Amino acid sequence: MERSSGVLMPITSLPNDLGIGSFGQEAYDFIDFLVRTKQTYWQVLPLTTTSYGDSPYQSFSAYAGNTHLIDLHTLVDQGLLTKDSLSQSDFGADLTMIDYGKIFTARRPLLEQAVQTFIEKGGLETERFMTFYARNEDWLVPFAEYMTVKEGFDNKAWHEWDDDYKHYDAKRVHTYCEKERLRYHYHLVTQYFFDEQWQALKDYANQKCIQIIGDIPIYVAQDSVEMWMFPELFKVDHTGTPTMVAGTPPDGFSDTGQYWGNPVYDWEKMANHHFDWWVKRIAHNFYLYDMLRIDHFKGFESYWEIPFGSPDPSYGHWSKGPGKALFKAIKDELGELNIIAEDLGFMNDDVVALREYTGFPGMKILSFGFNGECDSLDLPHHYPKNSVAYVGTHDNETARGWYEDTATQVQRDQMSHYLSRQYGEPAAYALDRGIAATVSDLAVYTMQNLLNLNNSARLNEPGTIGGNWQWRMTEDQYSETLEEHLLDLTETYFRTNPKLKEADAATAGTVK
């Protein structure tokens, strides 16, 4: 990476009149905002489907896209929906928060209508659809099968289905999907809509010299097509039930640790197959994104596994991950890749050695550095050049929220003194200035901090269910002041988009 900066902004948080951000005009407007402020990157959260709790880190598939992100106005423009159908739908009246219940209820019949019209117009026979289908068949067909059967059992997880379907049987499932062709085609076609719209948006970003940083969760959910079809990839018993699940030991977020509940991989069996599943997954993600943040990088060195059914996460233990072998296999197949290692929490020499082996930049969180007592590796004077600096991630409080609600007066004083905070300068601005000034190759600002929002705009509180992933920006929060603030950070600390600098240099050298 060259010295640059970007903004972390979930697509779901973009402003529009559809209750949840999408791949529509609001996303193109956000890219234009990034261009005007001379950014290089737009970092998004995982774009995969969400399940109970609406978390993008709990998905029915490691591949399938979140259909909430499909822009309905685009479907109107394509003649697949009518404007009246949108105006008559209730997506929720609160523009600052996502009402997932209303989104789930309102969007499904509209998407079903669009799929039906698409099929009636011969969409399944078009070259574009057939190309999409052929490219993605390996994951697309299993996903459509899984969701078709799942919906036939009232959306319950696979381990709650009738015995005939709990364990994947290709012939039986194929017969079932033949009887439920409308439902099956719904899942095929909505994934096509997702892919078409996302690739158009990504192309627009790239043409504007903006690169997309994606995010890949290390684990898949128990309620997922992967667990249903490929239980041998995980630590399970003879019934397919996980024997071990993922989480963390007691930490700063929880006295007993975090119980994620995801099944953990059987790394030995994956190694016996040259980590093919991971190679394919990484390759697909680089079809979607320009750069990739791998969540919970620590888990590849060692991971906290908890016996299934334990009272709390503290009953778990550390087990060794695949280490260098996995990343060697990925590199051998795919070459050098632009990957960010989310190396937060429980760092040890082995994790550092693995990160250094890969050459991936790690993450630095400035707000972690101010303990009010002593030096910290999270303070900028310790940051290496090959790193990505944040004030906080999607799991943290907003900068203003941390300062007003959580930090002690000693921590506040330390932060203000360390950053030479100016009189009247919002704490969020001082912290953003702190990461902009670091030697880290990349600084990433969250939109909430750029807007100086309190914890009502917090995106996620780890270890809790409900009330997360709901924050939305409103259209009126775009302002000249916002743009001037971000542009000033970018230019003052020499983080202007390198491609824009090249274009400016070429223009300056042109004889008129």
Side-chain angles (χ1 to χ4, degrees):
M1 291 185 295
E2 296 183 65
R3 186 170 178 82
S4 55
S5 60
V7 178
L8 169 57
M9 177 65 166
I11 292 173
T12 53
S13 297
L14 292 168
N16 66 16
D17 60 350
L18 299 174
I20 190 170
S22 75
F23 298 149
Q25 186 59 48
E26 66 271 24
Y28 290 83
D29 291 343
F30 186 74
I31 291 170
D32 292 341
F33 162 77
L34 296 177
V35 173
R36 291 194 300 272
T37 54
K38 301 185 179 180
Q39 302 309 297
T40 307
Y41 295 98
W42 177 7
Q43 182 173 336
V44 298
L45 297 183
L47 301 184
T48 43
T49 60
T50 56
S51 58
Y52 179 72
D54 308 302
S55 169
Y57 295 89
Q58 296 283 349
S59 178
F60 298 135
S61 166
Y63 291 82
N66 183 355
T67 57
H68 288 345
L69 303 179
I70 296 170
D71 180 57
L72 301 179
H73 290 300
T74 300
L75 299 183
V76 170
D77 293 341
Q78 293 172 337
L80 301 177
L81 287 176
T82 65
K83 289 183 180 180
D84 287 345
S85 64
L86 299 192
S87 63
Q88 294 168 8
S89 299
D90 181 8
F91 302 107
D94 188 348
L95 297 178
T96 67
M97 299 289 283
I98 299 168
D99 185 332
Y100 282 102
K102 289 188 174 180
I103 293 298
F104 183 84
T105 301
R107 288 182 63 90
R108 178 63 183 250
L110 293 171
L111 289 174
E112 286 178 345
Q113 179 184 334
V115 169
Q116 181 178 348
T117 305
F118 176 82
I119 293 174
E120 290 173 354
K121 290 185 173 184
L124 295 179
E125 287 76 43
T126 62
E127 183 178 353
R128 291 174 73 94
F129 178 82
M130 290 189 289
T131 299
F132 162 78
Y133 183 93
R135 186 190 185 283
N136 298 284
E137 184 177 1
D138 284 351
W139 67 263
L140 178 63
V141 170
F143 170 72
E145 290 177 339
Y146 183 71
M147 295 305 296
T148 300
V149 180
K150 178 181 176 65
E151 290 176 356
F153 287 104
D154 297 324
N155 281 309
K156 294 177 182 178
W158 61 268
H159 48 85
E160 298 180 72
W161 299 350
D162 291 351
D163 289 343
D164 284 348
Y165 293 95
K166 276 185 181 179
H167 306 289
Y168 180 75
D169 179 278
K171 185 177 180 179
R172 181 177 287 120
V173 169
H174 180 74
T175 300
Y176 184 93
C177 291
E178 280 292 316
K179 294 178 181 178
E180 298 288 346
R181 289 189 68 79
L182 289 178
R183 187 180 293 162
Y184 176 74
H185 282 146
Y186 169 85
H187 294 290
L188 293 182
V189 175
T190 51
Q191 288 304 305
Y192 171 72
F193 291 163
F194 175 96
D195 185 77
E196 286 279 291
Q197 291 191 11
W198 172 246
Q199 289 301 323
L201 180 64
K202 181 178 179 295
D203 286 347
Y204 182 83
N206 292 164
Q207 290 168 14
K208 296 283 187 175
C209 302
I210 300 297
Q211 296 185 61
I212 307 294
I213 301 176
D215 196 326
I216 178 173
I218 183 174
Y219 295 118
V220 300
Q222 182 180 5
D223 183 9
S224 67
V225 61
E226 286 80 17
M227 271 291 288
W228 181 53
M229 287 194 69
F230 310 112
E232 67 275 9
L233 297 177
F234 306 90
K235 292 185 177 181
V236 296
D237 63 19
H238 67 283
T239 68
T241 303
T243 56
M244 293 289 179
V245 293
T248 69
D251 57 15
F253 291 114
S254 171
D255 292 337
T256 58
Q258 297 178 45
Y259 191 95
W260 298 341
N262 305 77
V264 297
Y265 300 111
D266 188 325
W267 286 113
E268 184 176 347
K269 288 182 181 177
M270 284 191 161
N272 291 338
H273 291 86
H274 310 290
F275 301 104
D276 286 349
W277 186 84
W278 268 97
V279 171
K280 291 178 181 177
R281 187 183 184 197
I282 295 292
H284 178 75
N285 274 268
F286 275 97
Y287 164 72
L288 296 174
Y289 312 115
D290 302 299
M291 183 179 288
L292 186 62
R293 189 195 86 122
I294 298 184
D295 189 51
H296 196 52
F297 184 79
K298 159 72 179 173
F300 297 108
E301 182 275 321
S302 58
Y303 56 95
W304 189 257
E305 59 177 357
I306 308 159
F308 186 71
S310 294
D312 64 62
S314 66
Y315 285 75
H317 59 267
W318 290 109
S319 294
K320 294 300 291 183
K324 296 178 180 178
L326 170 63
F327 294 101
K328 182 180 184 304
I330 292 171
K331 182 178 179 180
D332 287 347
E333 288 292 325
L334 304 177
E336 296 285 355
L337 299 172
N338 292 324
I339 289 175
I340 298 170
E342 189 271 284
D343 55 346
L344 307 176
F346 303 103
M347 289 291 287
N348 56 31
D349 291 343
D350 290 337
V351 183
V352 173
L354 179 60
R355 188 195 65 214
E356 294 300 312
Y357 167 79
T358 63
F360 302 155
M363 292 173 56
K364 294 295 181 181
I365 309 299
L366 178 57
S367 59
F368 289 171
F370 300 111
N371 53 50
E373 299 173 355
C374 55
D375 196 4
S376 168
L377 292 176
D378 290 301
L379 290 175
H381 59 272
H382 291 296
Y383 291 7
K385 184 175 181 294
N386 187 36
S387 64
V388 184
Y390 299 79
V391 172
T393 73
H394 59 273
D395 283 334
N396 299 121
E397 298 174 273
T398 66
R400 178 178 169 184
W402 170 81
Y403 185 83
E404 294 179 348
D405 300 343
T406 302
T408 64
Q409 189 58 50
V410 174
Q411 288 175 300
R412 295 172 188 163
D413 291 343
Q414 181 192 21
M415 184 275 287
S416 296
H417 186 64
Y418 185 93
L419 297 175
S420 298
R421 185 182 173 200
Q422 302 166 25
Y423 179 76
E425 181 183 24
Y429 286 17
L431 288 160
D432 276 346
R433 183 165 49 78
I435 63 170
T438 65
V439 300
S440 297
D441 284 329
L442 176 57
V444 176
Y445 317 102
T446 66
M447 200 64 189
Q448 296 98 311
N449 291 347
L450 292 171
L451 293 169
N452 191 30
L453 301 180
N454 61 25
N455 272 338
S456 65
R458 182 171 183 171
L459 199 61
N460 180 51
E461 186 174 354
T464 65
I465 296 178
N468 295 317
W469 318 108
Q470 291 182 298
W471 173 73
R472 295 190 72 200
M473 182 182 176
T474 56
E475 190 66 39
D476 60 4
Q477 287 176 318
Y478 283 117
S479 65
E480 289 186 14
T481 301
L482 170 65
E483 291 195 15
E484 289 171 357
H485 169 56
L486 182 52
L487 186 59
D488 181 60
L489 282 175
T490 307
E491 294 182 331
T492 299
Y493 297 102
F494 302 98
R495 292 190 178 276
T496 296
N497 188 322
K499 294 293 184 182
L500 296 180
K501 289 190 292 186
E502 290 175 11
D504 290 343
T507 301
T510 301
V511 177
K512 297 184 178 180

